[in-house]
């Protein structure tokens, strides 16, 4: 099975599991708003990373699937809140009107809150060995020292002079935290040792940095139809980005270096890491 076939298989497993979530007890309007954003497509990269990492470390995909769903719910919640007028004020996401445009700001906030809380409900219900530790990994990544820390810097430093250290801190929190956690949580569920967990952290951190640099570049040079969102907003809103710090050409080189470091971080896993390494390399060539 080649990389694309394996990715498609993992993605289908995540999609099917997400579609089957009943959101029991949620009022119909809230459930509709949650499902609107959660099931709006996308690469399912974070969910795929959980499954691939767990398998690479010798674990069970079935044990990993609830965590793959959880991280996709956390990601969907973050996008809903990101798009709000008080944050990035976006009207398009994946080629569709954003949640608050369809359901209103109040319901969009509740939909995001619902997805976040349900993600932890799903993880807390798992009884697989080390499930609680994997939950902790996800919580820290989504929390005040992870994604929220990056988002805070992102919105409070708009319009300031960019510098590399600050932008790196934003990227580590805003993007890399929620790409590292799926890998380390997957490894954790498989019973990985400390050396493997550290390799997963190094891989995820560099993958996340490269992913955000490429995202910054796509905002400058990408195809809006492929991206499914409004481009050029980083410059318009004074966001501090990696290309703004170092220029477009150097940003491309820095993204490639991050991917090289991500790939080499998993060398100790041998052939078991081939899918994750190919996934990292594919990040440099994404167009959406």
């Amino acid at each position: 099975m080649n990389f694309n076939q394996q990715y498609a298989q993992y993605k289908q497993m995540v999609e099917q599991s997400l579609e089957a979530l009943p959101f029991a007890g949620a009022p119909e309007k809230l459930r509709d708003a949650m499902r609107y954003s959660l099931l709006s497509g996308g690469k399912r990269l974070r969910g795929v990373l959980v499954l691939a990492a767990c398998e690479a470390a010798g674990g069970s995909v079935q044990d990993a699937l609830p965590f793959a769903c959880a991280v996709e719910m956390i990601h969907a919640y973050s996008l809903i809140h990101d798009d709000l007028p008080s944050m990035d004020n976006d009207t398009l996401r994946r080629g569709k009107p954003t949640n608050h445009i369809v359901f209103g700001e109040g319901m969009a906030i509740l939909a995001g809150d619902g997805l976040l809380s349900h993600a932890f409900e799903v993880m807390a219900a798992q009884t697989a060995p080390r499930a609680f530790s994997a939950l902790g990994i996800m919580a820290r990544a989504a929390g005040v020292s992870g994604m929220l820390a990056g988002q805070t810097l992102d919105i409070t430093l708009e319009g300031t002079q960019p510098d590399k250290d600050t932008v790196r801190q934003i990227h580590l929190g805003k993007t890399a935290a929620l790409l590292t956690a799926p890998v380390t949580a997957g490894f954790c569920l498989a019973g990985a040792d400390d050396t493997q967990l550290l390799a997963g952290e190094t891989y995820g951190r560099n993958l996340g940095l490269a992913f955000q640099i490429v995202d910054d570049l796509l905002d400058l040079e990408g195809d809006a139809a492929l991206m499914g969102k409004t481009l050029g907003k980083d410059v318009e809103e004074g966001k501090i980005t990696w290309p703004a710090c170092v220029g477009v050409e150097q940003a491309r080189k820095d993204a490639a270096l991050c991917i090289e470091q991500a790939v080499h971080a998993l060398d100790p896993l041998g052939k078991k890491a081939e899918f994750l390494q190919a996934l990292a390399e594919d990040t440099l060539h994404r167009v959406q």
Side-chain angles (χ1 to χ4, degrees):
M1 189 180 303
N2 65 30
F3 168 75
N4 289 328
Q5 290 170 329
Q6 184 67 71
Y7 194 104
Q9 186 178 88
Y10 283 139
K11 181 181 177 182
Q12 183 181 34
M13 294 172 70
V14 175
E15 290 281 8
Q16 289 176 342
S17 296
L18 290 172
E19 288 170 2
L21 290 170
F23 297 116
E28 183 178 0
K29 189 73 171 179
L30 175 60
R31 185 170 60 249
D32 288 347
M34 291 165 69
R35 289 176 62 84
Y36 177 81
S37 292
L38 182 62
L39 303 180
S40 65
K43 295 175 286 293
R44 301 303 182 197
L45 172 61
R46 291 151 189 82
V48 167
L49 282 170
V50 178
L51 302 186
C54 189
E55 276 207 318
S60 162
V61 166
Q62 293 307 311
D63 287 344
L65 258 175
F67 292 85
C69 289
V71 75
E72 287 294 335
M73 283 189 273
I74 294 169
H75 181 53
Y77 124 77
S78 74
L79 297 181
I80 293 172
H81 284 193
D82 250 5
D83 290 337
L84 289 168
S86 57
M87 297 281 280
D88 286 350
N89 194 24
D90 275 315
T91 58
L92 279 179
R93 172 71 66 179
R94 294 171 182 158
K96 298 169 60 178
T98 48
N99 198 289
H100 69 275
I101 296 296
V102 177
F103 296 95
E105 290 181 40
M107 189 55 64
I109 292 169
L110 292 175
D113 293 346
L115 287 166
L116 177 62
S117 58
H118 199 68
F120 284 94
E121 185 178 342
V122 167
M123 290 187 288
Q126 304 311 307
T127 58
R130 303 186 74 176
F132 187 74
S133 295
L135 185 156
I137 290 170
M138 293 291 194
R140 286 187 292 276
V144 296
S145 63
M147 183 174 66
L148 293 182
Q151 292 282 45
T152 299
L153 290 173
D154 190 41
I155 65 172
T156 57
L157 295 176
E158 284 181 12
T160 63
Q161 184 64 34
D163 68 84
K164 291 167 67 172
D165 289 342
T166 302
V167 177
R168 179 180 170 84
Q169 284 304 117
I170 292 172
H171 288 185
L172 284 171
K174 183 179 177 180
T175 304
L178 215 61
L179 287 173
T180 303
V183 180
T184 52
F187 279 10
C188 178
L189 289 165
D193 59 29
D194 289 344
T195 300
Q196 291 172 318
L197 289 172
L198 180 59
E201 287 179 15
T202 304
Y203 169 87
R205 185 170 60 250
N206 281 287
L207 174 66
L209 289 171
F211 189 94
Q212 186 58 55
I213 293 171
V214 172
D215 206 61
D216 291 345
L217 289 168
L218 287 172
D219 189 70
L220 293 171
E221 307 173 327
D223 184 328
L226 290 174
M227 293 289 285
K229 62 181 181 180
T230 306
L231 301 184
K233 288 179 66 66
D234 288 346
V235 173
E236 180 184 324
E237 297 178 0
K239 296 279 189 183
I240 57 175
T241 67
W242 200 255
C245 285
V246 303
V248 168
E249 289 307 316
Q250 186 60 46
R252 289 197 185 100
K253 293 176 183 177
D254 291 342
L257 178 60
C258 285
I259 292 303
E260 182 181 336
Q261 292 172 339
V263 168
H264 287 318
L266 297 185
D267 282 346
L269 276 72
K271 292 182 69 65
K272 292 180 179 179
E274 285 182 349
F275 175 84
L276 290 170
Q277 291 171 321
L279 186 153
E281 291 169 345
D282 188 65
T283 297
L284 286 177
H285 309 295
R286 71 185 184 93
V287 293
Q288 60 184 30

